[in-house]
PDB file of all heavy atoms in Angstrom:
ATOM      1  N   ALA A 269       0.896   5.172   2.439  1.00 63.00           N
ATOM      2  CA  ALA A 269       1.220   6.568   2.748  1.00 63.00           C
ATOM      3  C   ALA A 269       1.476   7.326   1.458  1.00 63.00           C
ATOM      4  O   ALA A 269       2.532   7.916   1.260  1.00 63.00           O
ATOM      5  CB  ALA A 269       2.441   6.632   3.673  1.00 63.00           C
ATOM      6  N   GLY A 270       0.489   7.298   0.565  1.00 50.00           N
ATOM      7  CA  GLY A 270       0.648   7.887  -0.753  1.00 50.00           C
ATOM      8  C   GLY A 270       0.127   9.298  -0.871  1.00 50.00           C
ATOM      9  O   GLY A 270      -0.226   9.739  -1.961  1.00 50.00           O
ATOM     10  N   GLY A 271       0.060  10.029   0.234  1.00 54.00           N
ATOM     11  CA  GLY A 271      -0.393  11.406   0.189  1.00 54.00           C
ATOM     12  C   GLY A 271      -1.822  11.511  -0.309  1.00 54.00           C
ATOM     13  O   GLY A 271      -2.727  10.830   0.168  1.00 54.00           O
ATOM     14  N   ARG A 272      -2.035  12.354  -1.317  1.00 56.00           N
ATOM     15  CA  ARG A 272      -3.376  12.582  -1.856  1.00 56.00           C
ATOM     16  C   ARG A 272      -3.956  11.310  -2.469  1.00 56.00           C
ATOM     17  O   ARG A 272      -5.168  11.151  -2.539  1.00 56.00           O
ATOM     18  CB  ARG A 272      -3.322  13.693  -2.895  1.00 56.00           C
ATOM     19  CG  ARG A 272      -3.038  15.059  -2.308  1.00 56.00           C
ATOM     20  CD  ARG A 272      -2.599  16.037  -3.368  1.00 56.00           C
ATOM     21  NE  ARG A 272      -3.589  16.152  -4.432  1.00 56.00           N
ATOM     22  CZ  ARG A 272      -3.386  16.840  -5.552  1.00 56.00           C
ATOM     23  NH1 ARG A 272      -2.222  17.452  -5.739  1.00 56.00           N
ATOM     24  NH2 ARG A 272      -4.334  16.906  -6.481  1.00 56.00           N
ATOM     25  N   ASN A 273      -3.096  10.393  -2.923  1.00 50.00           N
ATOM     26  CA  ASN A 273      -3.587   9.172  -3.568  1.00 50.00           C
ATOM     27  C   ASN A 273      -4.313   8.255  -2.594  1.00 50.00           C
ATOM     28  O   ASN A 273      -5.171   7.472  -3.000  1.00 50.00           O
ATOM     29  CB  ASN A 273      -2.425   8.380  -4.185  1.00 50.00           C
ATOM     30  CG  ASN A 273      -1.640   9.193  -5.178  1.00 50.00           C
ATOM     31  OD1 ASN A 273      -2.190  10.077  -5.840  1.00 50.00           O
ATOM     32  ND2 ASN A 273      -0.361   8.908  -5.298  1.00 50.00           N
ATOM     33  N   THR A 274      -3.959   8.320  -1.314  1.00 49.00           N
ATOM     34  CA  THR A 274      -4.500   7.361  -0.350  1.00 49.00           C
ATOM     35  C   THR A 274      -5.158   8.003   0.865  1.00 49.00           C
ATOM     36  O   THR A 274      -5.633   7.296   1.742  1.00 49.00           O
ATOM     37  CB  THR A 274      -3.370   6.430   0.156  1.00 49.00           C
ATOM     38  OG1 THR A 274      -2.329   7.228   0.738  1.00 49.00           O
ATOM     39  CG2 THR A 274      -2.792   5.608  -0.992  1.00 49.00           C
ATOM     40  N   SER A 275      -5.179   9.345   0.932  1.00 53.00           N
ATOM     41  CA  SER A 275      -5.698  10.001   2.137  1.00 53.00           C
ATOM     42  C   SER A 275      -7.147   9.621   2.415  1.00 53.00           C
ATOM     43  O   SER A 275      -7.525   9.330   3.552  1.00 53.00           O
ATOM     44  CB  SER A 275      -5.564  11.524   2.006  1.00 53.00           C
ATOM     45  OG  SER A 275      -6.256  11.983   0.848  1.00 53.00           O
ATOM     46  N   GLN A 276      -7.986   9.626   1.389  1.00 57.00           N
ATOM     47  CA  GLN A 276      -9.393   9.276   1.584  1.00 57.00           C
ATOM     48  C   GLN A 276      -9.558   7.786   1.863  1.00 57.00           C
ATOM     49  O   GLN A 276     -10.415   7.375   2.637  1.00 57.00           O
ATOM     50  CB  GLN A 276     -10.200   9.667   0.344  1.00 57.00           C
ATOM     51  CG  GLN A 276     -11.681   9.340   0.441  1.00 57.00           C
ATOM     52  CD  GLN A 276     -12.395  10.149   1.513  1.00 57.00           C
ATOM     53  OE1 GLN A 276     -12.119  11.335   1.678  1.00 57.00           O
ATOM     54  NE2 GLN A 276     -13.300   9.520   2.244  1.00 57.00           N
ATOM     55  N   SER A 277      -8.699   6.959   1.240  1.00 58.00           N
ATOM     56  CA  SER A 277      -8.861   5.513   1.376  1.00 58.00           C
ATOM     57  C   SER A 277      -8.624   5.047   2.806  1.00 58.00           C
ATOM     58  O   SER A 277      -9.268   4.105   3.273  1.00 58.00           O
ATOM     59  CB  SER A 277      -7.925   4.776   0.416  1.00 58.00           C
ATOM     60  OG  SER A 277      -6.571   5.052   0.711  1.00 58.00           O
ATOM     61  N   LEU A 278      -7.708   5.683   3.518  1.00 67.00           N
ATOM     62  CA  LEU A 278      -7.460   5.280   4.898  1.00 67.00           C
ATOM     63  C   LEU A 278      -8.673   5.563   5.779  1.00 67.00           C
ATOM     64  O   LEU A 278      -8.887   4.890   6.782  1.00 67.00           O
ATOM     65  CB  LEU A 278      -6.227   6.004   5.445  1.00 67.00           C
ATOM     66  CG  LEU A 278      -4.876   5.550   4.856  1.00 67.00           C
ATOM     67  CD1 LEU A 278      -3.749   6.372   5.446  1.00 67.00           C
ATOM     68  CD2 LEU A 278      -4.640   4.067   5.112  1.00 67.00           C
ATOM     69  N   GLN A 279      -9.478   6.543   5.405  1.00 71.00           N
ATOM     70  CA  GLN A 279     -10.683   6.853   6.177  1.00 71.00           C
ATOM     71  C   GLN A 279     -11.867   5.987   5.759  1.00 71.00           C
ATOM     72  O   GLN A 279     -12.738   5.687   6.575  1.00 71.00           O
ATOM     73  CB  GLN A 279     -11.060   8.323   5.976  1.00 71.00           C
ATOM     74  CG  GLN A 279      -9.994   9.318   6.380  1.00 71.00           C
ATOM     75  CD  GLN A 279     -10.372  10.737   6.003  1.00 71.00           C
ATOM     76  OE1 GLN A 279     -11.519  11.142   6.153  1.00 71.00           O
ATOM     77  NE2 GLN A 279      -9.421  11.503   5.507  1.00 71.00           N
ATOM     78  N   SER A 280     -11.899   5.587   4.490  1.00 76.00           N
ATOM     79  CA  SER A 280     -13.103   4.955   3.944  1.00 76.00           C
ATOM     80  C   SER A 280     -12.995   3.453   3.744  1.00 76.00           C
ATOM     81  O   SER A 280     -14.023   2.760   3.720  1.00 76.00           O
ATOM     82  CB  SER A 280     -13.465   5.608   2.602  1.00 76.00           C
ATOM     83  OG  SER A 280     -13.661   6.994   2.749  1.00 76.00           O
ATOM     84  N   ASN A 281     -11.801   2.932   3.540  1.00 84.00           N
ATOM     85  CA  ASN A 281     -11.663   1.506   3.246  1.00 84.00           C
ATOM     86  C   ASN A 281     -11.954   0.653   4.471  1.00 84.00           C
ATOM     87  O   ASN A 281     -11.514   0.948   5.579  1.00 84.00           O
ATOM     88  CB  ASN A 281     -10.254   1.182   2.750  1.00 84.00           C
ATOM     89  CG  ASN A 281     -10.114   1.423   1.261  1.00 84.00           C
ATOM     90  OD1 ASN A 281     -11.097   1.520   0.539  1.00 84.00           O
ATOM     91  ND2 ASN A 281      -8.890   1.507   0.795  1.00 84.00           N
ATOM     92  N   LYS A 282     -12.672  -0.421   4.234  1.00 87.00           N
ATOM     93  CA  LYS A 282     -12.942  -1.357   5.323  1.00 87.00           C
ATOM     94  C   LYS A 282     -11.767  -2.299   5.538  1.00 87.00           C
ATOM     95  O   LYS A 282     -11.493  -2.714   6.664  1.00 87.00           O
ATOM     96  CB  LYS A 282     -14.203  -2.167   5.004  1.00 87.00           C
ATOM     97  CG  LYS A 282     -14.631  -3.091   6.143  1.00 87.00           C
ATOM     98  CD  LYS A 282     -15.960  -3.774   5.837  1.00 87.00           C
ATOM     99  CE  LYS A 282     -16.405  -4.650   7.004  1.00 87.00           C
ATOM    100  NZ  LYS A 282     -17.708  -5.313   6.730  1.00 87.00           N
ATOM    101  N   TYR A 283     -11.086  -2.661   4.451  1.00 92.00           N
ATOM    102  CA  TYR A 283      -9.976  -3.608   4.537  1.00 92.00           C
ATOM    103  C   TYR A 283      -8.714  -3.023   3.899  1.00 92.00           C
ATOM    104  O   TYR A 283      -8.790  -2.364   2.868  1.00 92.00           O
ATOM    105  CB  TYR A 283     -10.313  -4.912   3.808  1.00 92.00           C
ATOM    106  CG  TYR A 283     -11.559  -5.609   4.290  1.00 92.00           C
ATOM    107  CD1 TYR A 283     -12.737  -5.552   3.568  1.00 92.00           C
ATOM    108  CD2 TYR A 283     -11.556  -6.322   5.491  1.00 92.00           C
ATOM    109  CE1 TYR A 283     -13.890  -6.186   4.008  1.00 92.00           C
ATOM    110  CE2 TYR A 283     -12.703  -6.959   5.937  1.00 92.00           C
ATOM    111  CZ  TYR A 283     -13.865  -6.889   5.200  1.00 92.00           C
ATOM    112  OH  TYR A 283     -15.006  -7.523   5.640  1.00 92.00           O
ATOM    113  N   ILE A 284      -7.582  -3.294   4.522  1.00 93.00           N
ATOM    114  CA  ILE A 284      -6.279  -2.942   3.949  1.00 93.00           C
ATOM    115  C   ILE A 284      -5.418  -4.190   3.972  1.00 93.00           C
ATOM    116  O   ILE A 284      -5.228  -4.807   5.022  1.00 93.00           O
ATOM    117  CB  ILE A 284      -5.603  -1.792   4.717  1.00 93.00           C
ATOM    118  CG1 ILE A 284      -6.500  -0.546   4.675  1.00 93.00           C
ATOM    119  CG2 ILE A 284      -4.234  -1.489   4.123  1.00 93.00           C
ATOM    120  CD1 ILE A 284      -5.921   0.646   5.389  1.00 93.00           C
ATOM    121  N   VAL A 285      -4.917  -4.576   2.805  1.00 95.00           N
ATOM    122  CA  VAL A 285      -4.134  -5.805   2.668  1.00 95.00           C
ATOM    123  C   VAL A 285      -2.652  -5.456   2.558  1.00 95.00           C
ATOM    124  O   VAL A 285      -2.258  -4.592   1.761  1.00 95.00           O
ATOM    125  CB  VAL A 285      -4.577  -6.600   1.418  1.00 95.00           C
ATOM    126  CG1 VAL A 285      -3.709  -7.847   1.244  1.00 95.00           C
ATOM    127  CG2 VAL A 285      -6.049  -6.979   1.532  1.00 95.00           C
ATOM    128  N   PHE A 286      -1.842  -6.136   3.351  1.00 94.00           N
ATOM    129  CA  PHE A 286      -0.390  -5.997   3.311  1.00 94.00           C
ATOM    130  C   PHE A 286       0.241  -7.350   2.993  1.00 94.00           C
ATOM    131  O   PHE A 286      -0.417  -8.397   3.085  1.00 94.00           O
ATOM    132  CB  PHE A 286       0.152  -5.504   4.655  1.00 94.00           C
ATOM    133  CG  PHE A 286      -0.170  -4.076   4.993  1.00 94.00           C
ATOM    134  CD1 PHE A 286      -1.167  -3.771   5.910  1.00 94.00           C
ATOM    135  CD2 PHE A 286       0.529  -3.040   4.400  1.00 94.00           C
ATOM    136  CE1 PHE A 286      -1.465  -2.459   6.231  1.00 94.00           C
ATOM    137  CE2 PHE A 286       0.245  -1.715   4.714  1.00 94.00           C
ATOM    138  CZ  PHE A 286      -0.755  -1.422   5.633  1.00 94.00           C
ATOM    139  N   PHE A 287       1.532  -7.317   2.674  1.00 94.00           N
ATOM    140  CA  PHE A 287       2.297  -8.527   2.405  1.00 94.00           C
ATOM    141  C   PHE A 287       3.481  -8.547   3.375  1.00 94.00           C
ATOM    142  O   PHE A 287       4.535  -7.977   3.100  1.00 94.00           O
ATOM    143  CB  PHE A 287       2.752  -8.555   0.935  1.00 94.00           C
ATOM    144  CG  PHE A 287       1.590  -8.627  -0.024  1.00 94.00           C
ATOM    145  CD1 PHE A 287       0.900  -7.482  -0.370  1.00 94.00           C
ATOM    146  CD2 PHE A 287       1.165  -9.847  -0.523  1.00 94.00           C
ATOM    147  CE1 PHE A 287      -0.194  -7.538  -1.215  1.00 94.00           C
ATOM    148  CE2 PHE A 287       0.074  -9.924  -1.373  1.00 94.00           C
ATOM    149  CZ  PHE A 287      -0.608  -8.771  -1.721  1.00 94.00           C
ATOM    150  N   PRO A 288       3.305  -9.185   4.535  1.00 93.00           N
ATOM    151  CA  PRO A 288       4.256  -9.040   5.638  1.00 93.00           C
ATOM    152  C   PRO A 288       5.658  -9.553   5.351  1.00 93.00           C
ATOM    153  O   PRO A 288       6.613  -9.134   6.006  1.00 93.00           O
ATOM    154  CB  PRO A 288       3.597  -9.826   6.777  1.00 93.00           C
ATOM    155  CG  PRO A 288       2.679 -10.794   6.103  1.00 93.00           C
ATOM    156  CD  PRO A 288       2.187 -10.076   4.891  1.00 93.00           C
ATOM    157  N   ARG A 289       5.816 -10.461   4.389  1.00 91.00           N
ATOM    158  CA  ARG A 289       7.152 -10.979   4.103  1.00 91.00           C
ATOM    159  C   ARG A 289       8.012  -9.975   3.350  1.00 91.00           C
ATOM    160  O   ARG A 289       9.238 -10.032   3.430  1.00 91.00           O
ATOM    161  CB  ARG A 289       7.049 -12.279   3.302  1.00 91.00           C
ATOM    162  CG  ARG A 289       6.366 -13.405   4.065  1.00 91.00           C
ATOM    163  CD  ARG A 289       6.187 -14.640   3.212  1.00 91.00           C
ATOM    164  NE  ARG A 289       5.398 -15.659   3.909  1.00 91.00           N
ATOM    165  CZ  ARG A 289       4.981 -16.793   3.361  1.00 91.00           C
ATOM    166  NH1 ARG A 289       5.284 -17.071   2.097  1.00 91.00           N
ATOM    167  NH2 ARG A 289       4.267 -17.656   4.075  1.00 91.00           N
ATOM    168  N   SER A 290       7.380  -9.062   2.622  1.00 88.00           N
ATOM    169  CA  SER A 290       8.151  -8.127   1.807  1.00 88.00           C
ATOM    170  C   SER A 290       8.085  -6.693   2.321  1.00 88.00           C
ATOM    171  O   SER A 290       8.802  -5.832   1.806  1.00 88.00           O
ATOM    172  CB  SER A 290       7.652  -8.160   0.352  1.00 88.00           C
ATOM    173  OG  SER A 290       6.294  -7.771   0.282  1.00 88.00           O
ATOM    174  N   GLN A 291       7.237  -6.418   3.300  1.00 89.00           N
ATOM    175  CA  GLN A 291       7.118  -5.041   3.804  1.00 89.00           C
ATOM    176  C   GLN A 291       6.877  -5.031   5.322  1.00 89.00           C
ATOM    177  O   GLN A 291       5.969  -4.373   5.815  1.00 89.00           O
ATOM    178  CB  GLN A 291       6.005  -4.290   3.068  1.00 89.00           C
ATOM    179  CG  GLN A 291       4.675  -5.013   3.030  1.00 89.00           C
ATOM    180  CD  GLN A 291       3.578  -4.243   2.325  1.00 89.00           C
ATOM    181  OE1 GLN A 291       2.491  -4.728   2.168  1.00 89.00           O
ATOM    182  NE2 GLN A 291       3.824  -3.030   1.896  1.00 89.00           N
ATOM    183  N   GLN A 292       7.739  -5.753   6.038  1.00 91.00           N
ATOM    184  CA  GLN A 292       7.556  -5.917   7.473  1.00 91.00           C
ATOM    185  C   GLN A 292       7.533  -4.576   8.200  1.00 91.00           C
ATOM    186  O   GLN A 292       6.655  -4.320   9.030  1.00 91.00           O
ATOM    187  CB  GLN A 292       8.661  -6.814   8.035  1.00 91.00           C
ATOM    188  CG  GLN A 292       8.491  -7.122   9.506  1.00 91.00           C
ATOM    189  CD  GLN A 292       9.531  -8.110  10.017  1.00 91.00           C
ATOM    190  OE1 GLN A 292      10.274  -7.823  10.939  1.00 91.00           O
ATOM    191  NE2 GLN A 292       9.586  -9.275   9.391  1.00 91.00           N
ATOM    192  N   ASN A 293       8.467  -3.700   7.888  1.00 92.00           N
ATOM    193  CA  ASN A 293       8.538  -2.418   8.601  1.00 92.00           C
ATOM    194  C   ASN A 293       7.320  -1.548   8.318  1.00 92.00           C
ATOM    195  O   ASN A 293       6.827  -0.843   9.203  1.00 92.00           O
ATOM    196  CB  ASN A 293       9.821  -1.670   8.235  1.00 92.00           C
ATOM    197  CG  ASN A 293      11.055  -2.337   8.806  1.00 92.00           C
ATOM    198  OD1 ASN A 293      10.974  -3.040   9.819  1.00 92.00           O
ATOM    199  ND2 ASN A 293      12.194  -2.136   8.180  1.00 92.00           N
ATOM    200  N   ARG A 294       6.832  -1.585   7.088  1.00 91.00           N
ATOM    201  CA  ARG A 294       5.633  -0.828   6.734  1.00 91.00           C
ATOM    202  C   ARG A 294       4.429  -1.307   7.552  1.00 91.00           C
ATOM    203  O   ARG A 294       3.622  -0.511   8.027  1.00 91.00           O
ATOM    204  CB  ARG A 294       5.336  -0.979   5.246  1.00 91.00           C
ATOM    205  CG  ARG A 294       6.151  -0.084   4.342  1.00 91.00           C
ATOM    206  CD  ARG A 294       5.592   1.323   4.346  1.00 91.00           C
ATOM    207  NE  ARG A 294       6.304   2.176   3.412  1.00 91.00           N
ATOM    208  CZ  ARG A 294       6.038   3.458   3.232  1.00 91.00           C
ATOM    209  NH1 ARG A 294       5.076   4.027   3.935  1.00 91.00           N
ATOM    210  NH2 ARG A 294       6.720   4.183   2.386  1.00 91.00           N
ATOM    211  N   CYS A 295       4.299  -2.614   7.681  1.00 93.00           N
ATOM    212  CA  CYS A 295       3.188  -3.176   8.458  1.00 93.00           C
ATOM    213  C   CYS A 295       3.264  -2.727   9.915  1.00 93.00           C
ATOM    214  O   CYS A 295       2.250  -2.333  10.511  1.00 93.00           O
ATOM    215  CB  CYS A 295       3.208  -4.699   8.389  1.00 93.00           C
ATOM    216  SG  CYS A 295       2.928  -5.391   6.753  1.00 93.00           S
ATOM    217  N   ILE A 296       4.453  -2.795  10.475  1.00 95.00           N
ATOM    218  CA  ILE A 296       4.639  -2.420  11.881  1.00 95.00           C
ATOM    219  C   ILE A 296       4.296  -0.946  12.086  1.00 95.00           C
ATOM    220  O   ILE A 296       3.593  -0.583  13.045  1.00 95.00           O
ATOM    221  CB  ILE A 296       6.086  -2.717  12.329  1.00 95.00           C
ATOM    222  CG1 ILE A 296       6.332  -4.230  12.327  1.00 95.00           C
ATOM    223  CG2 ILE A 296       6.354  -2.121  13.702  1.00 95.00           C
ATOM    224  CD1 ILE A 296       7.789  -4.607  12.519  1.00 95.00           C
ATOM    225  N   THR A 297       4.769  -0.095  11.176  1.00 93.00           N
ATOM    226  CA  THR A 297       4.504   1.339  11.291  1.00 93.00           C
ATOM    227  C   THR A 297       3.012   1.631  11.193  1.00 93.00           C
ATOM    228  O   THR A 297       2.466   2.449  11.942  1.00 93.00           O
ATOM    229  CB  THR A 297       5.261   2.107  10.198  1.00 93.00           C
ATOM    230  OG1 THR A 297       6.669   1.863  10.326  1.00 93.00           O
ATOM    231  CG2 THR A 297       5.011   3.605  10.310  1.00 93.00           C
ATOM    232  N   PHE A 298       2.345   0.964  10.263  1.00 93.00           N
ATOM    233  CA  PHE A 298       0.903   1.175  10.109  1.00 93.00           C
ATOM    234  C   PHE A 298       0.163   0.758  11.371  1.00 93.00           C
ATOM    235  O   PHE A 298      -0.722   1.476  11.846  1.00 93.00           O
ATOM    236  CB  PHE A 298       0.380   0.374   8.910  1.00 93.00           C
ATOM    237  CG  PHE A 298      -1.089   0.562   8.667  1.00 93.00           C
ATOM    238  CD1 PHE A 298      -1.540   1.573   7.836  1.00 93.00           C
ATOM    239  CD2 PHE A 298      -2.033  -0.262   9.280  1.00 93.00           C
ATOM    240  CE1 PHE A 298      -2.905   1.768   7.620  1.00 93.00           C
ATOM    241  CE2 PHE A 298      -3.386  -0.082   9.076  1.00 93.00           C
ATOM    242  CZ  PHE A 298      -3.824   0.935   8.236  1.00 93.00           C
ATOM    243  N   MET A 299       0.503  -0.381  11.914  1.00 94.00           N
ATOM    244  CA  MET A 299      -0.185  -0.873  13.106  1.00 94.00           C
ATOM    245  C   MET A 299       0.090   0.025  14.309  1.00 94.00           C
ATOM    246  O   MET A 299      -0.780   0.218  15.160  1.00 94.00           O
ATOM    247  CB  MET A 299       0.228  -2.319  13.371  1.00 94.00           C
ATOM    248  CG  MET A 299      -0.283  -3.272  12.287  1.00 94.00           C
ATOM    249  SD  MET A 299       0.610  -4.847  12.183  1.00 94.00           S
ATOM    250  CE  MET A 299       0.053  -5.638  13.685  1.00 94.00           C
ATOM    251  N   ARG A 300       1.282   0.591  14.374  1.00 94.00           N
ATOM    252  CA  ARG A 300       1.598   1.530  15.451  1.00 94.00           C
ATOM    253  C   ARG A 300       0.780   2.816  15.310  1.00 94.00           C
ATOM    254  O   ARG A 300       0.190   3.308  16.277  1.00 94.00           O
ATOM    255  CB  ARG A 300       3.090   1.869  15.417  1.00 94.00           C
ATOM    256  CG  ARG A 300       3.534   2.865  16.501  1.00 94.00           C
ATOM    257  CD  ARG A 300       4.875   3.477  16.151  1.00 94.00           C
ATOM    258  NE  ARG A 300       4.790   4.318  14.955  1.00 94.00           N
ATOM    259  CZ  ARG A 300       5.848   4.822  14.336  1.00 94.00           C
ATOM    260  NH1 ARG A 300       7.073   4.554  14.762  1.00 94.00           N
ATOM    261  NH2 ARG A 300       5.683   5.596  13.261  1.00 94.00           N
ATOM    262  N   ASP A 301       0.722   3.355  14.088  1.00 92.00           N
ATOM    263  CA  ASP A 301       0.095   4.659  13.874  1.00 92.00           C
ATOM    264  C   ASP A 301      -1.431   4.606  13.806  1.00 92.00           C
ATOM    265  O   ASP A 301      -2.101   5.549  14.237  1.00 92.00           O
ATOM    266  CB  ASP A 301       0.624   5.281  12.572  1.00 92.00           C
ATOM    267  CG  ASP A 301       2.110   5.594  12.651  1.00 92.00           C
ATOM    268  OD1 ASP A 301       2.657   5.656  13.766  1.00 92.00           O
ATOM    269  OD2 ASP A 301       2.721   5.779  11.575  1.00 92.00           O
ATOM    270  N   HIS A 302      -1.986   3.503  13.275  1.00 91.00           N
ATOM    271  CA  HIS A 302      -3.428   3.475  13.032  1.00 91.00           C
ATOM    272  C   HIS A 302      -4.192   2.510  13.936  1.00 91.00           C
ATOM    273  O   HIS A 302      -5.401   2.652  14.097  1.00 91.00           O
ATOM    274  CB  HIS A 302      -3.688   3.120  11.561  1.00 91.00           C
ATOM    275  CG  HIS A 302      -3.147   4.146  10.608  1.00 91.00           C
ATOM    276  ND1 HIS A 302      -3.827   5.296  10.287  1.00 91.00           N
ATOM    277  CD2 HIS A 302      -1.974   4.206   9.922  1.00 91.00           C
ATOM    278  CE1 HIS A 302      -3.110   6.008   9.431  1.00 91.00           C
ATOM    279  NE2 HIS A 302      -1.984   5.372   9.202  1.00 91.00           N
ATOM    280  N   LEU A 303      -3.489   1.540  14.533  1.00 92.00           N
ATOM    281  CA  LEU A 303      -4.128   0.637  15.475  1.00 92.00           C
ATOM    282  C   LEU A 303      -3.659   0.885  16.900  1.00 92.00           C
ATOM    283  O   LEU A 303      -4.072   0.185  17.831  1.00 92.00           O
ATOM    284  CB  LEU A 303      -3.857  -0.826  15.088  1.00 92.00           C
ATOM    285  CG  LEU A 303      -4.310  -1.266  13.686  1.00 92.00           C
ATOM    286  CD1 LEU A 303      -4.041  -2.756  13.487  1.00 92.00           C
ATOM    287  CD2 LEU A 303      -5.781  -0.959  13.463  1.00 92.00           C
ATOM    288  N   MET A 304      -2.772   1.859  17.061  1.00 93.00           N
ATOM    289  CA  MET A 304      -2.258   2.268  18.369  1.00 93.00           C
ATOM    290  C   MET A 304      -1.585   1.126  19.122  1.00 93.00           C
ATOM    291  O   MET A 304      -1.702   0.996  20.335  1.00 93.00           O
ATOM    292  CB  MET A 304      -3.384   2.882  19.232  1.00 93.00           C
ATOM    293  CG  MET A 304      -4.101   4.021  18.557  1.00 93.00           C
ATOM    294  SD  MET A 304      -2.960   5.316  18.022  1.00 93.00           S
ATOM    295  CE  MET A 304      -3.950   6.193  16.803  1.00 93.00           C
ATOM    296  N   MET A 305      -0.866   0.282  18.386  1.00 94.00           N
ATOM    297  CA  MET A 305      -0.147  -0.831  19.004  1.00 94.00           C
ATOM    298  C   MET A 305       1.259  -0.402  19.412  1.00 94.00           C
ATOM    299  O   MET A 305       1.857   0.489  18.808  1.00 94.00           O
ATOM    300  CB  MET A 305      -0.013  -1.996  18.014  1.00 94.00           C
ATOM    301  CG  MET A 305      -1.253  -2.803  17.806  1.00 94.00           C
ATOM    302  SD  MET A 305      -0.864  -4.280  16.822  1.00 94.00           S
ATOM    303  CE  MET A 305      -2.463  -5.072  16.814  1.00 94.00           C
TER     304      MET A 305
END
């Protein structure tokens, strides 16, 4: 969620890598907002 730094990447990237042990809440929020979980 880096504003202008990542706005295009969320539309264009095929893969997004997270590290669930250190950013659990970020992963959950992303999956809720972008995967509609």
Side-chain angles (χ1 to χ4, degrees):
R272 291 163 57 187
N273 303 330
T274 58
S275 58
Q276 180 66 40
S277 62
L278 289 178
Q279 301 173 41
S280 302
N281 275 343
K282 185 175 182 179
Y283 303 104
I284 300 181
V285 177
F286 290 103
F287 296 82
R289 296 176 186 174
S290 61
Q291 51 179 176
Q292 184 175 122
N293 290 335
R294 279 282 184 181
C295 295
I296 293 170
T297 301
F298 181 90
M299 293 159 71
R300 179 198 66 189
D301 295 342
H302 297 277
L303 302 183
M304 305 305 161
M305 284 189 177

